[in-house]
Amino acid sequence: MSGARTGRKTIRCAIYTRKSTEEGLEQDFNSLDAQREACAAYVLSQKHEGWTTLSERYDDGGYSGGTMERPALSRLLADVEAGKVDAVIVYKVDRLTRSLTDFARIVAIFDAAGVSFVSITQAFNTTTSMGRLTLNVLLSFAQFEREVTAERIRDKIAASKAKGMWMGGVVPIGYRAEGRSLVPVPEEVALVRRIFEHYLALGSVNALRAELNADGIRTPERRHRNGRVSAGAAFSRGQLYAILGNPLFIGRIRHRDKVHPGLHAAIVDADLWDAVQQGLATNRRKPTATRAPEGSSPLAGRLFDPEGRKMRPSHASKKGRRYRYYVSAALIDNSVAQGARGWRIPAAELEAATGHAVAAKLRDPEFQAQLLGFGTARAEPSASVIASLSQMAELLEAPASAAGRDALRRLITRVALSESELRAEVSFAQVDHTDSGGFADLAALELPAFIVIAPLRLRRRGPELRIVLGGAAAPAPTPDPLLVRTLIEASRRVAAYLDPARALSISDIARSEGADVGDVSRSLQLAFLAPDLVEAILNGTQPVALTSERLKRADLPLLWQDQRAALT
């Protein structure tokens, strides 16, 4: 018996504990200690199986289970991959994570390292399919509970702000927080009024910023959501725009797109506020065209082809119309005849695909909940963050507009393309510099950078590649106006040709329209186009390679299945 025990393999058990808030962690025996003690007792009960507790502590106090950005969890996963752990022990499965997506990633890491996972209050074994099903069911409820809690928090914040209450966050200059209201700070009130009055006199945020810097005016001390204290810094343009556009200074509270009367006192006169808003609106319109002209390429310098080479902006003109592209550097420096290889993609199409991919991520409830969890770990989350993310997503989904291009330029730091996916690296670091000043909540949160990966398919159309974005990031299909116009033109010609009262020949129709006889003849055959192809064109779901020009030039077969083969 003794020899058998000696030969039994030792199971090194790592105990992981987590608590969402920091409340009570200062106590001598807190929730993390209670979890660890219960887990240690369970490991001790399995001593006869060779189980032993590792001395390393993996405790995350004050971190949400909706994100994997936790220091102790990161150390645990690193030790698992390094082969230092044989089993991970938790009190409950939701202590490890409350996200199904994150759980799948964690279990994959455990499986790759041959590590078992045990929840001492819930009996299951991750090595069996039934155990995995049980875990997924439990995590589904854990995730549901987290999302319901987030909804309740958002509803509570909305109702409280409707009553004019201050719901936390970075306290604006001019006030100090007292409970659920704000109290003016006399020395800071004078600074706020000076900012408003001098902006009105100077008419420019740049000039205001230069004057404040020249006079040695610095920001008062402020405590941020992550605990960092800032003071004595020069005012940035983003900060000044946020101050000048904040209705809080006239005694009101903003929540999403609504503004409610606040419980706090105003420190800026309403007439002064209105004059400043009019000046901001006027100045905001003027520089837009010069800062982001119609032909600008917001992904310039940040786009890379599958070979890791930069794709440069380029353009071509045809019949007075300018067409923009992103082209692999090899195709710009050398010709195809010289053996150059690379990609050539329509710029507007690629910018739209990137914008839709990132917008889909920003709209994803799970991703939004993770960001709320990120804020919850440091301070009360602001529901206006969700509204700001949705507003940012709307801009990204309209990359043809100046504001949409500006959003792409500020958020996207790198886009890498491959044959099967689009990979965009996104950062909020430049959001606080936006001229609109409408995303102060995102800037104040100091949100982490993230990566968006969207599946795509490439279709060659002539010398260029067309992108078909897949997955949740795929934009809603939009009809091609040229294709729709081609069908309408064909229907009109067919009606004229078949009208017995008019008795027009193909030559008559061509002569009346100043068109080519051959074009009219081919157009008439579209009356026999397969119904599903007509429906696809009207819905915008036709094959990527099907263009108006190709449809006009095609010799259309009579059989519908042959038409589909010829046009797809």
Side-chain angles (χ1 to χ4, degrees):
M1 291 291 291
S2 176
R5 283 196 301 269
T6 303
R8 179 174 289 118
K9 179 184 176 181
T10 299
I11 306 298
R12 299 164 297 174
C13 300
I15 298 175
Y16 177 79
T17 64
R18 182 185 64 81
K19 189 176 186 296
S20 296
T21 65
E22 296 181 357
E23 181 181 358
L25 292 181
E26 74 282 355
Q27 299 174 359
D28 292 337
F29 187 80
N30 55 46
S31 173
L32 299 180
D33 296 323
Q35 293 177 46
R36 182 172 181 82
E37 185 176 274
C39 291
Y42 183 87
V43 173
L44 185 62
S45 70
Q46 303 298 314
K47 185 177 180 180
H48 62 284
E49 295 292 339
W51 290 30
T52 181
T53 302
L54 294 174
S55 59
E56 180 75 18
R57 294 183 68 102
Y58 303 95
D59 303 326
D60 277 324
Y63 286 89
S64 167
T67 174
M68 289 183 64
E69 300 300 324
R70 291 173 262 158
L73 178 62
S74 298
R75 287 191 291 107
L76 173 61
L77 295 179
D79 288 348
V80 165
E81 291 177 332
K84 299 178 181 179
V85 177
D86 298 314
V88 174
I89 317 297
V90 297
Y91 184 73
K92 289 178 63 176
V93 67
D94 63 2
R95 297 303 87 195
L96 184 67
T97 180
R98 283 176 173 264
S99 166
L100 280 170
T101 304
D102 291 346
F103 173 71
R105 293 170 57 190
I106 292 172
V107 168
I109 294 173
F110 288 174
D111 287 347
V115 171
S116 301
F117 171 60
V118 176
S119 170
I120 66 172
T121 58
Q122 298 152 320
F124 47 73
N125 186 340
T126 58
T127 61
T128 67
S129 58
M130 182 58 67
R132 290 179 184 275
L133 174 62
T134 305
L135 270 178
N136 282 325
V137 171
L138 290 171
L139 277 171
S140 294
F141 280 102
Q143 182 167 324
F144 172 74
E145 179 185 358
R146 177 169 59 89
E147 291 174 357
V148 168
T149 301
E151 289 177 2
R152 289 173 179 167
I153 291 172
R154 290 194 292 270
D155 292 343
K156 176 184 176 183
I157 290 174
S160 300
K161 285 193 172 184
K163 296 178 180 179
M165 299 170 64
W166 169 251
M167 292 305 294
V170 179
V171 179
I173 294 173
Y175 293 97
R176 72 173 184 272
E178 285 191 4
R180 289 301 179 190
S181 188
L182 297 171
V183 177
V185 179
E187 57 271 22
E188 295 184 10
V189 168
L191 173 58
V192 172
R193 288 174 180 164
R194 168 178 175 164
I195 289 174
F196 275 82
E197 292 169 355
H198 284 228
Y199 169 77
L200 200 58
L202 298 170
S204 165
V205 167
N206 285 332
L208 174 61
R209 181 189 180 196
E211 180 189 84
L212 293 174
N213 287 341
D215 291 347
I217 305 299
R218 296 292 185 265
T219 59
E221 179 178 306
R222 283 295 177 271
R223 185 173 299 276
H224 297 270
R225 294 176 184 270
N226 61 1
R228 179 176 60 86
V229 176
S230 63
F235 280 94
S236 68
R237 292 173 63 231
Q239 286 175 310
L240 292 175
Y241 273 111
I243 292 171
L244 294 170
N246 194 342
L248 190 138
F249 297 112
I250 55 170
R252 303 180 73 81
I253 291 283
R254 178 191 286 141
H255 180 63
R256 297 188 178 179
D257 57 346
K258 298 179 181 178
V259 179
H260 307 286
L263 299 178
H264 61 283
I267 61 176
V268 172
D269 182 73
D271 293 336
L272 175 59
W273 162 267
D274 291 338
V276 166
Q277 300 318 300
Q278 184 176 354
L280 286 172
T282 302
N283 290 338
R284 194 173 297 139
R285 286 192 293 267
K286 288 193 297 186
T288 306
T290 56
R291 187 180 70 251
E294 182 180 353
S296 65
S297 299
L299 298 181
R302 311 172 192 194
L303 181 64
F304 297 83
D305 66 13
E307 302 298 324
R309 300 169 299 194
K310 278 190 177 182
M311 298 183 69
R312 302 179 192 169
S314 180
H315 74 274
S317 297
K318 183 178 181 181
K319 297 181 180 179
R321 186 175 178 182
R322 191 168 184 264
Y323 298 87
R324 293 188 302 115
Y325 299 92
Y326 289 103
V327 185
S328 296
L331 291 179
I332 294 179
D333 297 335
N334 300 288
S335 66
V336 175
Q338 295 174 319
R341 294 291 182 270
W343 285 16
R344 183 172 182 260
I345 300 177
E349 188 172 297
L350 179 57
E351 289 157 8
T354 304
H356 276 91
V358 177
K361 183 73 170 181
L362 296 181
R363 293 184 189 280
D364 180 25
E366 183 177 342
F367 178 71
Q368 292 179 346
Q370 288 178 0
L371 290 186
L372 278 177
F374 181 87
T376 304
R378 293 153 174 82
E380 285 194 68
S382 172
S384 60
V385 172
I386 301 298
S388 296
L389 290 173
S390 298
Q391 185 180 353
M392 187 70 76
E394 289 178 6
L395 292 179
L396 292 170
E397 288 175 336
S401 67
R405 286 192 299 272
D406 193 50
L408 271 176
R409 187 180 292 106
R410 294 182 188 281
L411 283 179
I412 309 301
T413 59
R414 179 185 173 92
V415 176
L417 298 176
S418 72
E419 298 283 350
S420 59
E421 70 178 26
L422 179 152
R423 183 184 182 93
E425 298 178 11
V426 187
S427 171
F428 292 100
Q430 298 299 319
V431 170
D432 59 329
H433 298 301
T434 180
D435 291 346
S436 67
F439 303 103
D441 291 311
L442 299 181
L445 267 180
E446 300 180 358
L447 299 173
F450 61 94
I451 295 176
V452 174
I453 300 176
L456 62 82
R457 290 181 292 115
L458 296 172
R459 292 290 184 268
R460 185 165 294 280
R461 195 170 82 179
E464 65 190 40
L465 293 170
R466 304 302 304 272
I467 289 180
V468 181
L469 206 59
T478 56
D480 183 335
L482 293 179
L483 273 170
V484 173
R485 192 183 309 158
T486 299
L487 290 183
I488 294 174
E489 180 183 70
S491 299
R492 179 174 48 77
R493 288 172 173 174
V494 169
Y497 183 69
L498 297 178
D499 186 354
R502 301 174 67 182
L504 295 177
S505 67
I506 294 177
S507 298
D508 293 335
I509 296 174
R511 192 180 305 110
S512 66
E513 295 183 0
D516 182 77
V517 174
D519 288 342
V520 174
S521 178
R522 280 189 293 269
S523 180
L524 294 179
Q525 68 180 343
L526 294 182
F528 307 101
L529 187 63
D532 57 318
L533 289 176
V534 174
E535 183 179 1
I537 290 173
L538 296 178
N539 292 336
T541 57
Q542 73 280 351
V544 175
L546 182 55
T547 64
S548 172
E549 194 66 25
R550 183 179 178 191
L551 189 61
K552 289 179 178 179
R553 299 295 178 187
D555 289 323
L556 205 62
L558 290 178
L559 296 178
W560 288 345
Q561 61 265 34
D562 294 340
Q563 292 178 12
R564 298 185 191 103
L567 297 177
T568 57

